[in-house]
Amino acid sequence: MSRLVRYCRGLPRFPNPPPVKPQLLALNLSTTSSTAENVTPADRLAGPPPIRVDLTESAGRGVFASRRIGAGELIHTAKPVLCHPSLSSISAACYFCLKKVISEGQSPTFCSRKCEDSAKVFYDVEKKADWSEFDAYCRSQGLKYPQMVKRLACQVISGAASAELLDILQPASVSAEMALMMEEGYGSLRRALSAANIPDGKTTFLSREWYYGVLARIRINAFRIELALSSYEDLLSSAAACVEAEAAVGNAVYMLPSFYNHDCDPNAHIVWIENADAKLKALRDIEADEELRICYIDASLDHDARQTVLLQGFGFKCNCPRCLSGD
Ligand SMILES: C[S@@+](CC[C@H](N)C(=O)[O-])C[C@H]1O[C@@H](n2cnc3c(N)ncnc32)[C@H](O)[C@@H]1O
């Protein structure tokens, strides 16, 4: 399984995000008093996840084990708060959950009636506008995250999401180069919505600052979904051909998984089986109060390459034990 998911964060397009003042999550997830010894498989499925979000010494907020977690254990699952298929997968992945679908057309498609119904509110708004200019801008610049901002904007207009949905997540900085590129996307999004005659009162949230802020948060927190097979059977049967089976079907932002810090020798990882629902799993035994960390990049890179990718792509100098040891 692990070879199917090599690394999970999409590399941001722009370098050097800033340090951000961390804000703790207002929810306490560590309500279980179980210990690893007395936790049954049924408890694991039914109880709250065995984690808490807390401040780390040097990486802002992080996720900690609230009890011992065994190797291979499913720590928790997470549904995306925002996701979007890659433009190249529009007709090959469900427009709502990113499950692979077989479709002959070029338009968005859904894997089930349930997904179609769940998407209806924002898709009804989206369908009112002509996105050809916006899509052309994304394609020409090779950008994927503006599509997620567009979806969030349509969700907010439809009343399905709050404009502040992502505010709790750490943002990247907005450099002059980045602002210039964002400006084009912002203008294009505004034009598409105003040509669609969306009432002004519904788009008051859509300021330049909102657009930049959302994009800056998506950049740091989005996961690239590299594998979304339609079933466990597919997963097994494609194991031999997993290289061909890998494809970024889209990108997604989650709440809890966004608080996991990075480690070049991680003790947890995130997997997707059939759609954008994420599964966080332990890679080895984890003690109570140990921080849970996932790997944002290709851990097989050498020390210098990892430092470069993390600094330029994510804006931080990695403080994990492997990097500190010089490995
Ligand atoms: C997706 S966020 C993780 C949660 C974040 N710590 C927070 O408070 O929201 C990624 C950010 O966490 C920090 N971070 C994650 N892993 C780190 C590491 N190994 N070393 C130093 N900082 C790290 C960096 O500031 C990075 O931009």
Side-chain angles (χ1 to χ4, degrees), residues 166-183:
L166 304 186
D167 282 6
I168 196 163
L169 303 181
Q170 179 173 318
S173 66
V174 177
S175 66
E177 176 204 5
M178 189 178 170
L180 201 65
M181 209 176 262
M182 284 180 172
E183 184 56 32

Side-chain angles (χ1 to χ4, degrees), residues 9 59 61 170 221 258 261-262 293 296 316-319:
R9 287 235 187 253
R61 298 162 299 188
Q170 179 173 318
N221 294 286
S258 291
N261 286 316
H262 160 88
R293 289 191 173 204
Y296 298 176
F316 67 89
K317 185 166 165 34
C318 186
N319 64 12

Side-chain angles (χ1 to χ4, degrees), residues 23-310:
Q23 182 192 359
L24 271 184
L25 262 186
L27 68 161
N28 179 10
L29 296 150
S30 57
T31 51
T32 178
S33 58
S34 312
T35 61
E37 288 69 35
N38 65 16
V39 175
T40 65
D43 289 338
R44 287 187 175 128
L45 289 175
I51 54 173
R52 65 172 198 280
V53 175
D54 218 333
L55 281 181
T56 65
E57 278 180 14
S58 56
R61 298 162 299 188
V63 179
F64 293 81
S66 56
R67 61 155 167 82
R68 187 173 177 278
I69 298 173
E73 192 178 320
L74 174 63
I75 305 166
H76 65 93
T77 58
K79 287 200 171 291
V81 291
L82 181 64
C83 70
H84 199 281
S86 347
L87 282 176
S88 59
S89 293
I90 289 290
S91 57
C94 173
Y95 204 52
F96 185 73
C97 78
L98 306 191
K99 181 173 177 169
K100 285 191 173 170
V101 289
I102 296 169
S103 151
E104 284 173 7
Q106 289 304 307
S107 18
T109 179
F110 296 94
C111 69
S112 65
R113 187 62 195 264
K114 192 171 162 218
C115 282
E116 196 169 349
D117 289 347
S118 307
K120 189 172 172 10
V121 268
F122 72 79
Y123 192 43
D124 280 351
V125 173
E126 201 180 308
K127 277 188 299 189
K128 289 184 184 155
D130 174 0
W131 297 103
S132 45
E133 181 202 327
F134 189 77
D135 288 352
Y137 151 75
C138 293
R139 282 204 173 87
S140 67
Q141 306 283 336
L143 299 173
K144 50 201 176 181
Y145 299 149
Q147 295 285 338
M148 298 175 81
V149 189
K150 166 188 130 183
R151 176 163 293 186
L152 181 56
C154 292
Q155 287 180 339
V156 176
I157 291 167
S158 72
S162 151
E164 290 83 39
L165 181 71
L166 304 186
D167 282 6
I168 196 163
L169 303 181
Q170 179 173 318
S173 66
V174 177
S175 66
E177 176 204 5
M178 189 178 170
L180 201 65
M181 209 176 262
M182 284 180 172
E183 184 56 32
E184 201 182 332
Y186 172 66
S188 181
L189 179 66
R190 282 225 70 120
R191 277 192 294 283
L193 290 170
S194 82
N197 294 321
I198 306 286
D200 282 350
K202 296 230 173 214
T203 55
T204 42
F205 71 91
L206 189 50
S207 63
R208 184 171 281 107
E209 291 65 36
W210 182 86
Y211 184 90
Y212 287 15
V214 168
L215 206 43
R217 284 178 169 80
I218 291 174
R219 279 193 53 233
I220 289 285
N221 294 286
F223 288 83
R224 180 175 56 223
I225 302 191
E226 295 210 347
L227 183 76
L229 295 173
S230 52
S231 67
Y232 275 101
E233 288 71 32
D234 279 358
L235 181 65
L236 294 175
S237 63
S238 72
C242 68
V243 173
E244 290 75 19
E246 270 183 356
V249 289
N251 296 278
V253 175
Y254 305 83
M255 265 313 140
L256 199 42
S258 291
F259 294 99
Y260 280 74
N261 286 316
H262 160 88
D263 198 297
C264 297
D265 182 16
N267 55 10
H269 71 159
I270 183 164
V271 292
W272 295 271
I273 304 297
E274 59 172 351
N275 58 26
D277 291 355
K279 295 180 196 312
L280 274 294
K281 299 190 84 176
L283 284 168
R284 52 175 180 259
D285 289 345
I286 297 165
E287 297 308 320
D289 298 325
E290 201 180 318
E291 187 182 353
L292 292 155
R293 289 191 173 204
I294 58 177
C295 186
Y296 298 176
I297 59 164
D298 181 350
S300 68
L301 295 171
D302 68 24
H303 177 270
D304 290 353
R306 296 197 316 275
Q307 297 306 316
T308 305
V309 174
L310 289 170

